[in-house]
Amino acid sequence: MEKIYDQISIEAIEKLAEIVRSSDLSEITIENGDSKVTVKGRKSTPPAPAIPFAMPAMAAQTAAPVQDGGAVSAEAPQQSSGNVVKSPIVGTFYAAPAPDKAPFVRIGDTVKKGDVIMIIESMKLMNEIQSEFDGTVKEILVSDGQAVEFEQPVMIIE
């Protein structure tokens, strides 16, 4: 039996390599006295990122109305006149840039095309959503922190 580093044999290293291969390990290290051997296998691929789930459409209609800052309406957007702002992505709606900050817009606020009106968080990225319309915020159809679907109505601007 041939020895490597005076203490660890080639057979031992081959067995370590087999353990790494069969156990789907990325690496294994063995120390014996002053000798140390690390056997590295293939790098394992990280798990796929979680995909945000789609919120049922009923959730927007069953949200409880909130007064003043960030008011939420339980009415369906088809009953309202004005421009419907829809979520451009699946994610979580945030009315303010941070929990301790004022909302971007409130009902009755005047907005111009290009103004940031909300954040949609998707896959841990905060996406500032800009208004596509000039006008006055008539309704906010979802509550802060609520999951939204792609193309789900979020706000009405007249």
Side-chain angles (χ1 to χ4, degrees):
M1 180 186 291
E2 181 181 344
K3 298 281 184 176
I4 297 179
Y5 301 112
D6 297 325
Q7 306 239 348
I8 301 174
S9 70
I10 290 198
E11 288 83 14
I13 293 171
E14 289 172 347
K15 286 180 184 178
L16 291 174
E18 182 58 35
I19 291 169
V20 169
R21 204 173 14 258
S22 66
S23 300
D24 220 18
L25 296 173
S26 59
E27 72 178 55
I28 190 168
T29 301
I30 298 291
E31 291 186 47
N32 189 3
D34 292 335
S35 300
K36 178 179 176 181
V37 173
T38 300
V39 178
K40 294 185 179 185
R42 292 186 193 137
K43 290 187 178 182
S44 58
T45 57
I51 298 173
F53 66 93
M55 184 77 164
M58 290 275 303
Q61 296 172 354
T62 60
V66 177
Q67 300 302 322
D68 289 329
V72 176
S73 171
E75 293 179 26
Q78 297 88 328
Q79 299 171 352
S80 300
S81 62
N83 297 306
V84 177
V85 178
K86 297 178 181 179
S87 176
I89 54 177
V90 173
T92 304
F93 167 81
Y94 292 110
D100 59 336
K101 303 288 183 187
F104 291 107
V105 294
R106 291 189 168 110
I107 292 178
D109 286 355
T110 301
V111 296
K112 294 188 186 275
K113 185 175 181 176
D115 288 350
V116 175
I117 55 174
M118 70 182 103
I119 289 177
I120 303 291
E121 177 189 6
S122 182
M123 297 181 73
K124 301 194 185 218
L125 293 175
M126 299 297 183
N127 301 283
E128 290 185 344
I129 309 302
Q130 298 175 345
S131 177
E132 297 177 9
F133 314 105
D134 291 335
T136 303
V137 177
K138 182 176 180 183
E139 292 182 71
I140 300 174
L141 305 170
V142 295
S143 58
D144 195 49
Q146 180 179 332
V148 292
E149 295 180 28
F150 173 69
E151 294 285 313
Q152 177 180 340
V154 175
M155 200 175 290
I156 307 283
I157 297 177
E158 285 189 317

